[in-house]
Amino acid sequence: MMKKLAILVAAVALIAAPFGLKPYGIYLLSLWAVMTIAAIGLNLTLGYAGQISLAQGSFVGIGAYIAALLTTQGWPLGLAFAAAIVLCFAIGWLLGYPALRVAHHYLAFVTLSFATLVFLVLRNEEWLTKGVYGISGIPRPTLAGWSTKAPLDFYFFCLLILALVAAAAGWMIRSPWGRAFTALRENPIRASSLGVDTRRYTLMAFAIGSALGGIAGVLYAPLVQFIEPTAFALGLSLNLLLMVIVGGAGRFFGPFLGAAVSVLLPEWLRFSEGLYLMLYAVFVMLLLAFCPSGLLGLGARARKSWKPSSKSAN
Amino acid sequence: MEAEILALEGVVGGYGKLTVLNGTTFKVARDTITTVIGPNGAGKSTLFKAVFGLLPVQRGRIVFDGADITNLDPHALLERGITYVPQGRNVFPELSVLHNLELGMTAAGPGAPVAARIQSVMQRFPMLREKARAQASTLSGGQQKLLEIARALLLEPRLMLIDEPSIGLSPRLVQEVFRILQDLRSRGVSILMIEQNAKRALEISDFGVVLELGATRMQGAARDLLVDPRVGQLFLGGGTL
Protein backbone atom coordinates (compact mmCIF):
# COMPACT_ATOMS: atom_id res chain seq x y z
CA MET A 1 0.00 0.00 0.00
CA MET A 2 2.75 2.42 1.04
CA LYS A 3 4.70 1.34 -2.00
CA LYS A 4 1.80 2.08 -4.37
CA LEU A 5 1.35 5.49 -2.80
CA ALA A 6 5.05 6.24 -3.18
CA ILE A 7 4.96 5.23 -6.85
CA LEU A 8 1.94 7.48 -7.42
CA VAL A 9 3.65 10.44 -5.73
CA ALA A 10 6.82 9.86 -7.76
CA ALA A 11 4.82 9.67 -11.01
CA VAL A 12 3.02 12.93 -10.25
CA ALA A 13 6.33 14.57 -9.33
CA LEU A 14 7.91 13.41 -12.60
CA ILE A 15 5.01 14.84 -14.61
CA ALA A 16 5.08 18.14 -12.69
CA ALA A 17 8.87 18.44 -12.54
CA PRO A 18 9.69 20.03 -15.93
CA PHE A 19 7.21 22.89 -15.58
CA GLY A 20 9.13 25.98 -14.61
CA LEU A 21 12.48 24.45 -15.58
CA LYS A 22 14.71 25.96 -18.26
CA PRO A 23 15.41 23.85 -21.35
CA TYR A 24 18.68 22.58 -19.84
CA GLY A 25 16.84 21.32 -16.76
CA ILE A 26 14.31 19.56 -18.96
CA TYR A 27 17.16 18.09 -20.99
CA LEU A 28 18.68 16.67 -17.80
CA LEU A 29 15.36 15.13 -16.76
CA SER A 30 15.03 13.56 -20.21
CA LEU A 31 18.59 12.25 -19.98
CA TRP A 32 17.71 10.78 -16.60
CA ALA A 33 14.75 8.92 -18.16
CA VAL A 34 16.93 7.60 -21.00
CA MET A 35 19.73 6.48 -18.69
CA THR A 36 17.21 4.86 -16.36
CA ILE A 37 15.98 2.67 -19.24
CA ALA A 38 19.54 1.55 -20.01
CA ALA A 39 20.20 0.96 -16.30
CA ILE A 40 17.00 -1.11 -15.95
CA GLY A 41 18.40 -3.31 -18.71
CA LEU A 42 21.77 -3.67 -16.97
CA ASN A 43 19.98 -4.32 -13.69
CA LEU A 44 18.28 -7.34 -15.27
CA THR A 45 21.61 -8.68 -16.52
CA LEU A 46 23.70 -7.82 -13.46
CA GLY A 47 21.31 -7.26 -10.57
CA TYR A 48 18.88 -10.11 -11.18
CA ALA A 49 20.78 -12.66 -13.26
CA GLY A 50 24.20 -11.87 -11.75
CA GLN A 51 26.12 -11.51 -15.02
CA ILE A 52 28.51 -8.57 -15.00
CA SER A 53 28.65 -6.49 -18.17
CA LEU A 54 30.89 -3.56 -19.03
CA ALA A 55 29.25 -3.22 -22.43
CA GLN A 56 25.82 -1.73 -21.68
CA GLY A 57 26.97 1.66 -23.04
CA SER A 58 27.84 -0.03 -26.33
CA PHE A 59 24.24 -1.14 -26.76
CA VAL A 60 23.09 2.41 -26.08
CA GLY A 61 25.53 3.38 -28.83
CA ILE A 62 24.23 0.75 -31.25
CA GLY A 63 20.66 1.92 -30.60
CA ALA A 64 21.63 5.58 -31.01
CA TYR A 65 23.41 4.97 -34.32
CA ILE A 66 20.50 2.93 -35.65
CA ALA A 67 18.14 5.79 -34.75
CA ALA A 68 20.45 8.44 -36.19
CA LEU A 69 21.09 6.60 -39.45
CA LEU A 70 17.45 5.70 -40.04
CA THR A 71 15.74 8.93 -39.01
CA THR A 72 18.16 11.21 -40.88
CA GLN A 73 17.21 9.19 -43.97
CA GLY A 74 13.55 9.90 -43.30
CA TRP A 75 12.58 6.59 -41.74
CA PRO A 76 10.25 6.76 -38.72
CA LEU A 77 11.63 6.41 -35.19
CA GLY A 78 9.31 3.43 -34.64
CA LEU A 79 11.30 1.47 -37.17
CA ALA A 80 14.50 2.42 -35.33
CA PHE A 81 13.00 1.03 -32.10
CA ALA A 82 12.14 -2.24 -33.81
CA ALA A 83 15.54 -2.53 -35.50
CA ALA A 84 17.45 -1.65 -32.31
CA ILE A 85 15.50 -4.13 -30.20
CA VAL A 86 16.04 -6.97 -32.67
CA LEU A 87 19.70 -6.22 -33.32
CA CYS A 88 20.68 -5.55 -29.70
CA PHE A 89 18.79 -8.65 -28.58
CA ALA A 90 20.70 -10.74 -31.12
CA ILE A 91 24.11 -9.24 -30.32
CA GLY A 92 23.39 -9.43 -26.58
CA TRP A 93 22.52 -13.10 -27.01
CA LEU A 94 25.86 -13.73 -28.71
CA LEU A 95 27.69 -11.75 -26.03
CA GLY A 96 26.08 -14.11 -23.52
CA TYR A 97 28.01 -17.12 -24.86
CA PRO A 98 31.29 -16.19 -23.16
CA ALA A 99 29.27 -15.89 -19.94
CA LEU A 100 28.52 -19.60 -20.20
CA ARG A 101 32.23 -20.27 -19.82
CA VAL A 102 33.57 -17.47 -17.63
CA ALA A 103 32.21 -15.48 -14.72
CA HIS A 104 32.95 -12.44 -12.57
CA HIS A 105 36.18 -10.56 -13.43
CA TYR A 106 36.79 -12.66 -16.49
CA LEU A 107 33.36 -11.90 -17.84
CA ALA A 108 34.02 -8.22 -17.09
CA PHE A 109 37.08 -8.39 -19.32
CA VAL A 110 35.23 -10.17 -22.13
CA THR A 111 32.50 -7.53 -22.13
CA LEU A 112 35.14 -4.80 -21.81
CA SER A 113 36.79 -5.94 -25.00
CA PHE A 114 33.39 -6.03 -26.70
CA ALA A 115 32.84 -2.40 -25.62
CA THR A 116 36.20 -1.44 -27.11
CA LEU A 117 35.34 -3.26 -30.31
CA VAL A 118 32.04 -1.40 -30.70
CA PHE A 119 33.78 1.92 -30.06
CA LEU A 120 36.39 1.17 -32.74
CA VAL A 121 33.73 0.21 -35.26
CA LEU A 122 31.80 3.42 -34.57
CA ARG A 123 34.95 5.50 -34.92
CA ASN A 124 36.67 3.76 -37.83
CA GLU A 125 33.87 2.69 -40.16
CA GLU A 126 33.39 6.17 -41.55
CA TRP A 127 31.32 5.03 -44.54
CA LEU A 128 28.58 4.01 -42.14
CA THR A 129 28.97 6.09 -38.99
CA LYS A 130 30.81 9.17 -40.27
CA GLY A 131 33.49 8.37 -37.69
CA VAL A 132 34.67 11.17 -35.43
CA TYR A 133 32.59 13.76 -37.30
CA GLY A 134 29.46 12.24 -35.81
CA ILE A 135 25.91 12.49 -37.09
CA SER A 136 24.01 15.73 -36.60
CA GLY A 137 20.52 17.00 -37.32
CA ILE A 138 18.76 13.99 -35.83
CA PRO A 139 15.04 14.82 -35.93
CA ARG A 140 12.61 14.32 -33.06
CA PRO A 141 9.56 12.23 -33.90
CA THR A 142 5.96 13.24 -34.45
CA LEU A 143 3.45 10.76 -33.07
CA ALA A 144 -0.08 10.90 -34.49
CA GLY A 145 0.12 14.64 -34.88
CA TRP A 146 1.96 15.22 -31.57
CA SER A 147 5.30 16.85 -32.36
CA THR A 148 7.97 16.14 -29.75
CA LYS A 149 10.25 18.84 -31.11
CA ALA A 150 10.07 21.06 -28.01
CA PRO A 151 12.10 19.90 -24.97
CA LEU A 152 8.98 19.56 -22.82
CA ASP A 153 7.19 17.35 -25.35
CA PHE A 154 10.26 15.21 -25.87
CA TYR A 155 10.63 14.78 -22.10
CA PHE A 156 7.08 13.40 -21.91
CA PHE A 157 7.86 11.10 -24.81
CA CYS A 158 10.91 9.75 -22.89
CA LEU A 159 8.81 9.41 -19.74
CA LEU A 160 6.18 7.44 -21.67
CA ILE A 161 8.79 5.00 -23.02
CA LEU A 162 10.33 4.71 -19.53
CA ALA A 163 6.90 3.87 -18.08
CA LEU A 164 6.38 1.16 -20.72
CA VAL A 165 9.85 -0.31 -20.18
CA ALA A 166 9.44 -0.23 -16.39
CA ALA A 167 6.04 -1.93 -16.61
CA ALA A 168 7.44 -4.66 -18.87
CA ALA A 169 10.50 -5.19 -16.66
CA GLY A 170 8.34 -5.25 -13.54
CA TRP A 171 6.07 -7.83 -15.05
CA MET A 172 9.02 -9.97 -16.04
CA ILE A 173 10.68 -9.81 -12.63
CA ARG A 174 7.46 -10.99 -10.96
CA SER A 175 6.99 -13.80 -13.46
CA PRO A 176 8.63 -17.21 -13.11
CA TRP A 177 11.31 -15.79 -15.41
CA GLY A 178 12.37 -13.28 -12.81
CA ARG A 179 12.57 -16.05 -10.23
CA ALA A 180 14.70 -18.12 -12.56
CA PHE A 181 17.04 -15.13 -13.05
CA THR A 182 17.40 -14.73 -9.29
CA ALA A 183 18.00 -18.45 -8.90
CA LEU A 184 20.72 -18.20 -11.55
CA ARG A 185 22.39 -15.32 -9.73
CA GLU A 186 22.27 -16.92 -6.31
CA ASN A 187 23.50 -20.34 -7.32
CA PRO A 188 23.59 -21.74 -10.86
CA ILE A 189 24.13 -25.32 -9.71
CA ARG A 190 21.14 -25.26 -7.38
CA ALA A 191 19.10 -23.71 -10.17
CA SER A 192 20.06 -26.40 -12.66
CA SER A 193 19.33 -29.16 -10.15
CA LEU A 194 15.73 -27.89 -10.23
CA GLY A 195 15.63 -28.07 -13.99
CA VAL A 196 16.22 -24.37 -14.65
CA ASP A 197 17.91 -24.17 -18.04
CA THR A 198 20.78 -21.98 -16.82
CA ARG A 199 22.25 -21.77 -20.30
CA ARG A 200 19.12 -20.31 -21.84
CA TYR A 201 18.51 -17.91 -18.97
CA THR A 202 22.09 -16.63 -19.03
CA LEU A 203 21.78 -15.83 -22.72
CA MET A 204 18.33 -14.33 -22.18
CA ALA A 205 19.62 -12.12 -19.37
CA PHE A 206 22.18 -10.64 -21.73
CA ALA A 207 19.82 -10.40 -24.69
CA ILE A 208 16.98 -8.66 -22.84
CA GLY A 209 19.29 -6.32 -20.93
CA SER A 210 21.03 -5.38 -24.17
CA ALA A 211 17.74 -4.78 -25.99
CA LEU A 212 16.77 -2.29 -23.27
CA GLY A 213 20.16 -0.61 -23.77
CA GLY A 214 19.25 -0.33 -27.46
CA ILE A 215 15.89 1.26 -26.62
CA ALA A 216 17.67 3.86 -24.48
CA GLY A 217 20.02 4.57 -27.39
CA VAL A 218 17.13 5.11 -29.81
CA LEU A 219 15.84 7.81 -27.42
CA TYR A 220 19.30 9.26 -26.78
CA ALA A 221 19.94 10.16 -30.43
CA PRO A 222 16.93 12.48 -30.93
CA LEU A 223 17.37 13.85 -27.39
CA VAL A 224 20.90 15.12 -28.01
CA GLN A 225 20.32 15.45 -31.79
CA PHE A 226 24.05 14.97 -32.39
CA ILE A 227 25.98 11.78 -31.70
CA GLU A 228 29.61 10.78 -32.02
CA PRO A 229 31.53 7.68 -30.91
CA THR A 230 33.17 8.93 -27.69
CA ALA A 231 29.75 9.31 -26.05
CA PHE A 232 29.47 5.50 -26.12
CA ALA A 233 33.01 4.64 -25.08
CA LEU A 234 33.81 2.71 -21.91
CA GLY A 235 32.93 5.73 -19.76
CA LEU A 236 29.23 5.34 -20.43
CA SER A 237 29.29 1.62 -19.62
CA LEU A 238 31.09 2.32 -16.36
CA ASN A 239 28.62 5.07 -15.58
CA LEU A 240 25.68 2.72 -16.15
CA LEU A 241 27.34 0.12 -13.94
CA LEU A 242 27.72 2.79 -11.27
CA MET A 243 24.03 3.70 -11.58
CA VAL A 244 22.94 0.12 -11.01
CA ILE A 245 25.25 -0.38 -8.05
CA VAL A 246 24.65 3.00 -6.41
CA GLY A 247 20.90 2.56 -6.73
CA GLY A 248 20.95 -1.01 -5.46
CA ALA A 249 21.60 -3.94 -7.81
CA GLY A 250 18.78 -6.46 -7.96
CA ARG A 251 16.22 -3.97 -6.68
CA PHE A 252 13.53 -2.78 -9.01
CA PHE A 253 13.78 0.93 -8.23
CA GLY A 254 17.57 0.91 -7.97
CA PRO A 255 18.20 2.14 -11.53
CA PHE A 256 15.79 5.06 -11.07
CA LEU A 257 17.71 6.31 -8.04
CA GLY A 258 21.12 5.43 -9.43
CA ALA A 259 20.48 7.30 -12.66
CA ALA A 260 19.29 10.30 -10.66
CA VAL A 261 22.51 10.29 -8.65
CA SER A 262 24.64 9.93 -11.75
CA VAL A 263 22.82 12.46 -13.98
CA LEU A 264 21.48 15.05 -11.55
CA LEU A 265 23.84 15.09 -8.57
CA PRO A 266 26.86 16.43 -10.50
CA GLU A 267 24.64 19.31 -11.68
CA TRP A 268 23.43 20.12 -8.17
CA LEU A 269 27.04 20.18 -7.01
CA ARG A 270 27.95 22.78 -9.63
CA PHE A 271 27.71 25.53 -6.99
CA SER A 272 31.09 24.28 -5.81
CA GLU A 273 32.47 25.12 -9.26
CA GLY A 274 35.73 23.28 -9.89
CA LEU A 275 35.21 20.98 -6.93
CA TYR A 276 31.97 19.37 -8.06
CA LEU A 277 33.43 16.24 -9.64
CA MET A 278 35.58 15.68 -6.57
CA LEU A 279 32.60 16.01 -4.24
CA TYR A 280 30.68 13.62 -6.43
CA ALA A 281 33.51 11.09 -6.34
CA VAL A 282 33.76 11.33 -2.55
CA PHE A 283 30.00 10.82 -2.20
CA VAL A 284 30.08 7.69 -4.36
CA MET A 285 33.10 6.28 -2.50
CA LEU A 286 31.51 6.87 0.89
CA LEU A 287 28.24 5.31 -0.23
CA LEU A 288 29.90 2.19 -1.58
CA ALA A 289 32.21 1.85 1.41
CA PHE A 290 29.40 2.10 3.95
CA CYS A 291 26.54 0.66 1.98
CA PRO A 292 27.66 -1.71 -0.76
CA SER A 293 24.05 -2.70 -1.43
CA GLY A 294 23.30 0.80 -2.71
CA LEU A 295 20.87 3.52 -1.74
CA LEU A 296 17.90 1.17 -1.59
CA GLY A 297 19.98 -1.21 0.52
CA LEU A 298 20.40 1.65 2.95
CA GLY A 299 16.63 1.77 3.43
CA ALA A 300 16.39 -1.99 3.92
CA ARG A 301 19.19 -1.86 6.48
CA ALA A 302 17.47 0.89 8.42
CA ARG A 303 14.27 -1.17 8.55
CA LYS A 304 16.17 -4.24 9.73
CA SER A 305 17.80 -2.44 12.63
CA TRP A 306 14.37 -1.23 13.67
CA LYS A 307 12.94 -4.68 14.09
CA PRO A 308 15.43 -7.51 14.41
CA SER A 309 14.75 -10.41 12.07
CA SER A 310 13.34 -13.58 13.54
CA LYS A 311 16.31 -15.73 12.72
CA SER A 312 16.09 -18.87 14.82
CA ALA A 313 18.80 -21.42 15.42
CA ASN A 314 18.66 -25.04 14.37
CA MET B 1 7.83 -53.96 -14.54
CA GLU B 2 11.39 -54.50 -13.49
CA ALA B 3 12.29 -55.02 -9.87
CA GLU B 4 14.81 -52.20 -9.86
CA ILE B 5 14.05 -48.55 -10.50
CA LEU B 6 17.64 -47.54 -11.17
CA ALA B 7 20.60 -49.52 -12.44
CA LEU B 8 24.17 -48.37 -12.97
CA GLU B 9 26.21 -50.53 -15.31
CA GLY B 10 29.96 -49.93 -15.31
CA VAL B 11 29.68 -46.17 -15.10
CA VAL B 12 32.90 -44.25 -15.79
CA GLY B 13 32.92 -40.51 -15.36
CA GLY B 14 34.69 -37.60 -13.75
CA TYR B 15 36.19 -34.22 -14.33
CA GLY B 16 37.97 -34.13 -17.68
CA LYS B 17 40.75 -36.71 -17.70
CA LEU B 18 40.41 -37.41 -14.01
CA THR B 19 37.92 -40.23 -13.66
CA VAL B 20 36.28 -40.43 -10.27
CA LEU B 21 33.84 -43.20 -11.11
CA ASN B 22 35.68 -46.25 -12.35
CA GLY B 23 33.03 -48.70 -13.43
CA THR B 24 30.44 -48.20 -10.72
CA THR B 25 27.78 -50.89 -10.86
CA PHE B 26 24.74 -51.37 -8.63
CA LYS B 27 20.97 -51.44 -8.58
CA VAL B 28 18.33 -49.64 -6.58
CA ALA B 29 15.25 -51.74 -5.85
CA ARG B 30 11.82 -50.20 -6.23
CA ASP B 31 10.20 -48.68 -3.11
CA THR B 32 13.28 -49.02 -0.97
CA ILE B 33 15.81 -46.78 0.67
CA THR B 34 19.30 -47.52 -0.57
CA THR B 35 22.24 -45.82 1.07
CA VAL B 36 25.62 -45.28 -0.53
CA ILE B 37 28.44 -45.18 1.96
CA GLY B 38 32.17 -44.92 1.51
CA PRO B 39 35.19 -42.96 2.69
CA ASN B 40 35.78 -39.35 1.67
CA GLY B 41 36.76 -39.09 -1.96
CA ALA B 42 35.11 -42.38 -2.89
CA GLY B 43 33.06 -40.55 -5.52
CA LYS B 44 29.69 -40.56 -3.78
CA SER B 45 28.63 -37.03 -4.71
CA THR B 46 30.18 -37.40 -8.16
CA LEU B 47 28.03 -40.48 -8.61
CA PHE B 48 24.89 -38.44 -8.00
CA LYS B 49 26.02 -35.71 -10.36
CA ALA B 50 26.62 -38.31 -13.06
CA VAL B 51 23.20 -39.88 -12.56
CA PHE B 52 21.54 -36.46 -12.60
CA GLY B 53 23.21 -35.31 -15.80
CA LEU B 54 25.39 -32.65 -14.19
CA LEU B 55 28.57 -34.47 -15.14
CA PRO B 56 29.17 -36.42 -18.37
CA VAL B 57 29.28 -40.20 -18.22
CA GLN B 58 32.15 -41.37 -20.41
CA ARG B 59 31.39 -45.07 -20.44
CA GLY B 60 28.73 -47.40 -19.08
CA ARG B 61 24.99 -47.02 -18.80
CA ILE B 62 22.44 -45.65 -16.37
CA VAL B 63 18.98 -47.20 -16.65
CA PHE B 64 15.90 -45.73 -14.97
CA ASP B 65 12.72 -47.75 -14.96
CA GLY B 66 13.86 -49.78 -17.94
CA ALA B 67 14.92 -46.80 -20.08
CA ASP B 68 18.46 -45.65 -20.79
CA ILE B 69 18.93 -42.19 -19.23
CA THR B 70 22.71 -41.88 -19.60
CA ASN B 71 23.73 -38.23 -20.08
CA LEU B 72 20.21 -36.83 -20.19
CA ASP B 73 20.02 -33.30 -18.82
CA PRO B 74 18.44 -32.52 -15.42
CA HIS B 75 15.31 -31.08 -16.99
CA ALA B 76 14.59 -34.33 -18.85
CA LEU B 77 15.32 -36.40 -15.72
CA LEU B 78 12.96 -34.30 -13.61
CA GLU B 79 10.26 -34.89 -16.22
CA ARG B 80 10.84 -38.64 -15.99
CA GLY B 81 10.47 -38.64 -12.23
CA ILE B 82 13.97 -38.32 -10.76
CA THR B 83 14.67 -35.54 -8.30
CA TYR B 84 17.93 -34.48 -6.69
CA VAL B 85 18.54 -32.79 -3.35
CA PRO B 86 22.22 -31.78 -3.32
CA GLN B 87 24.48 -31.65 -0.29
CA GLY B 88 24.35 -28.69 2.07
CA ARG B 89 21.98 -25.75 1.88
CA ASN B 90 20.12 -25.50 -1.39
CA VAL B 91 17.40 -22.94 -0.89
CA PHE B 92 17.61 -19.56 -2.57
CA PRO B 93 18.06 -17.40 0.52
CA GLU B 94 16.84 -14.13 -0.98
CA LEU B 95 13.59 -15.57 -2.34
CA SER B 96 10.51 -16.28 -0.26
CA VAL B 97 9.53 -19.80 0.74
CA LEU B 98 6.70 -19.70 -1.78
CA HIS B 99 8.97 -18.59 -4.62
CA ASN B 100 11.46 -21.29 -3.70
CA LEU B 101 8.67 -23.82 -4.04
CA GLU B 102 7.56 -22.36 -7.36
CA LEU B 103 11.06 -22.85 -8.70
CA GLY B 104 10.63 -26.53 -7.93
CA MET B 105 7.94 -26.62 -10.61
CA THR B 106 10.26 -25.21 -13.31
CA ALA B 107 10.50 -28.51 -15.14
CA ALA B 108 6.75 -29.06 -15.09
CA GLY B 109 6.12 -26.93 -18.15
CA PRO B 110 3.22 -24.61 -18.89
CA GLY B 111 -0.27 -25.52 -17.71
CA ALA B 112 1.03 -27.54 -14.75
CA PRO B 113 -1.10 -27.43 -11.59
CA VAL B 114 1.50 -25.33 -9.73
CA ALA B 115 -0.82 -23.92 -7.07
CA ALA B 116 -2.46 -27.28 -6.34
CA ARG B 117 0.85 -29.08 -5.94
CA ILE B 118 2.19 -26.37 -3.67
CA GLN B 119 -0.98 -26.58 -1.58
CA SER B 120 -0.53 -30.31 -1.23
CA VAL B 121 3.08 -30.12 -0.02
CA MET B 122 2.09 -27.33 2.35
CA GLN B 123 -0.55 -29.64 3.78
CA ARG B 124 2.18 -32.13 4.43
CA PHE B 125 4.59 -29.57 5.89
CA PRO B 126 2.37 -26.95 7.60
CA MET B 127 5.45 -24.98 8.65
CA LEU B 128 5.89 -23.98 5.00
CA ARG B 129 2.41 -22.50 4.85
CA GLU B 130 3.02 -20.44 7.99
CA LYS B 131 6.29 -19.14 6.54
CA ALA B 132 5.20 -18.92 2.90
CA ARG B 133 5.97 -15.22 2.64
CA ALA B 134 9.14 -15.26 4.73
CA GLN B 135 12.51 -14.99 3.04
CA ALA B 136 14.08 -18.46 2.95
CA SER B 137 17.21 -17.16 4.72
CA THR B 138 15.14 -16.57 7.86
CA LEU B 139 14.34 -20.30 8.22
CA SER B 140 16.40 -22.47 10.53
CA GLY B 141 18.71 -25.08 9.05
CA GLY B 142 16.18 -27.85 9.66
CA GLN B 143 13.35 -25.84 8.15
CA GLN B 144 15.48 -25.14 5.09
CA LYS B 145 16.10 -28.86 4.66
CA LEU B 146 12.36 -29.52 4.88
CA LEU B 147 11.80 -26.81 2.28
CA GLU B 148 14.30 -28.52 -0.02
CA ILE B 149 12.66 -31.89 0.42
CA ALA B 150 9.20 -30.39 -0.11
CA ARG B 151 10.44 -28.64 -3.24
CA ALA B 152 11.83 -31.89 -4.56
CA LEU B 153 8.44 -33.58 -4.05
CA LEU B 154 6.45 -31.08 -6.13
CA LEU B 155 7.03 -32.95 -9.36
CA GLU B 156 5.81 -36.18 -7.70
CA PRO B 157 9.07 -38.05 -8.30
CA ARG B 158 9.49 -41.80 -8.24
CA LEU B 159 13.15 -41.65 -7.29
CA MET B 160 14.82 -39.16 -5.00
CA LEU B 161 18.60 -38.73 -4.90
CA ILE B 162 19.45 -37.12 -1.58
CA ASP B 163 23.04 -36.21 -0.73
CA GLU B 164 23.98 -36.02 2.96
CA PRO B 165 20.61 -34.94 4.34
CA SER B 166 21.92 -35.00 7.92
CA ILE B 167 24.78 -32.55 7.42
CA GLY B 168 24.59 -29.60 9.78
CA LEU B 169 21.42 -30.80 11.50
CA SER B 170 20.94 -31.61 15.17
CA PRO B 171 20.37 -35.31 16.02
CA ARG B 172 16.68 -34.67 16.64
CA LEU B 173 16.25 -33.07 13.22
CA VAL B 174 18.20 -35.85 11.54
CA GLN B 175 15.69 -38.23 13.06
CA GLU B 176 12.86 -36.16 11.65
CA VAL B 177 14.37 -36.05 8.17
CA PHE B 178 14.92 -39.82 8.23
CA ARG B 179 11.33 -40.31 9.35
CA ILE B 180 10.17 -38.25 6.35
CA LEU B 181 12.28 -40.39 4.04
CA GLN B 182 10.74 -43.58 5.48
CA ASP B 183 7.30 -42.06 4.98
CA LEU B 184 8.14 -41.26 1.36
CA ARG B 185 9.22 -44.85 0.79
CA SER B 186 5.83 -46.06 1.98
CA ARG B 187 4.22 -43.73 -0.56
CA GLY B 188 6.09 -45.17 -3.50
CA VAL B 189 9.13 -42.90 -3.71
CA SER B 190 12.33 -44.88 -3.99
CA ILE B 191 15.28 -43.21 -2.30
CA LEU B 192 18.97 -43.29 -3.03
CA MET B 193 20.85 -41.56 -0.23
CA ILE B 194 24.44 -40.68 0.51
CA GLU B 195 25.31 -40.47 4.19
CA GLN B 196 28.44 -39.86 6.23
CA ASN B 197 26.49 -41.03 9.22
CA ALA B 198 26.64 -44.59 7.88
CA LYS B 199 25.30 -46.38 10.91
CA ARG B 200 22.15 -44.32 11.35
CA ALA B 201 21.48 -44.26 7.62
CA LEU B 202 21.83 -48.02 7.24
CA GLU B 203 19.48 -48.53 10.18
CA ILE B 204 16.61 -46.99 8.20
CA SER B 205 17.73 -48.39 4.82
CA ASP B 206 16.79 -51.58 3.02
CA PHE B 207 20.00 -51.84 1.05
CA GLY B 208 23.48 -50.43 1.20
CA VAL B 209 26.23 -49.89 -1.33
CA VAL B 210 29.84 -49.41 -0.31
CA LEU B 211 31.79 -47.27 -2.74
CA GLU B 212 35.56 -47.10 -2.71
CA LEU B 213 37.69 -45.23 -5.27
CA GLY B 214 34.75 -44.94 -7.59
CA ALA B 215 33.99 -48.64 -7.75
CA THR B 216 31.40 -50.73 -5.95
CA ARG B 217 33.22 -52.54 -3.17
CA MET B 218 30.24 -54.25 -1.54
CA GLN B 219 26.49 -54.23 -1.74
CA GLY B 220 23.73 -55.98 0.09
CA ALA B 221 20.99 -55.78 2.67
CA ALA B 222 21.54 -52.87 5.02
CA ARG B 223 21.28 -55.05 8.14
CA ASP B 224 24.05 -57.34 6.82
CA LEU B 225 26.36 -54.42 6.09
CA LEU B 226 25.76 -53.07 9.59
CA VAL B 227 27.35 -56.15 11.13
CA ASP B 228 29.96 -56.79 8.44
CA PRO B 229 33.43 -56.36 9.91
CA ARG B 230 34.82 -55.25 6.52
CA VAL B 231 32.49 -52.27 6.52
CA GLY B 232 33.60 -51.43 10.02
CA GLN B 233 37.20 -51.66 8.94
CA LEU B 234 36.60 -49.24 6.09
CA PHE B 235 35.15 -46.65 8.42
CA LEU B 236 36.51 -47.26 11.86
CA GLY B 237 39.60 -49.32 11.26
CA GLY B 238 38.11 -52.44 12.84
CA GLY B 239 34.98 -53.81 14.51
CA THR B 240 31.48 -53.24 13.26
CA LEU B 241 29.58 -49.99 12.84
Side-chain angles (χ1 to χ4, degrees), chain A residues 193-241:
Chain A
S193 76
L194 295 176
V196 173
D197 187 344
T198 50
R199 192 183 156 82
R200 203 182 67 179
Y201 280 102
T202 305
L203 297 175
M204 272 293 176
F206 267 97
I208 296 172
S210 305
L212 292 186
I215 291 176
V218 172
L219 281 174
Y220 182 88
L223 169 65
V224 186
Q225 297 187 293
F226 167 72
I227 57 167
E228 47 86 40
T230 50
F232 312 107
L234 189 60
L236 179 60
S237 290
L238 290 174
N239 220 335
L240 286 164
L241 187 65

Side-chain angles (χ1 to χ4, degrees), chain A residues 41 44-45 49 51 88-90 92-97 99-100 172 177 180-181 184 197-212:
Chain A
L44 285 178
T45 315
Q51 309 294 319
C88 290
F89 187 93
W93 182 278
L94 292 177
L95 186 63
Y97 277 93
L100 299 172
M172 202 173 72
W177 275 53
F181 279 148
L184 178 66
D197 187 344
T198 50
R199 192 183 156 82
R200 203 182 67 179
Y201 280 102
T202 305
L203 297 175
M204 272 293 176
F206 267 97
I208 296 172
S210 305
L212 292 186

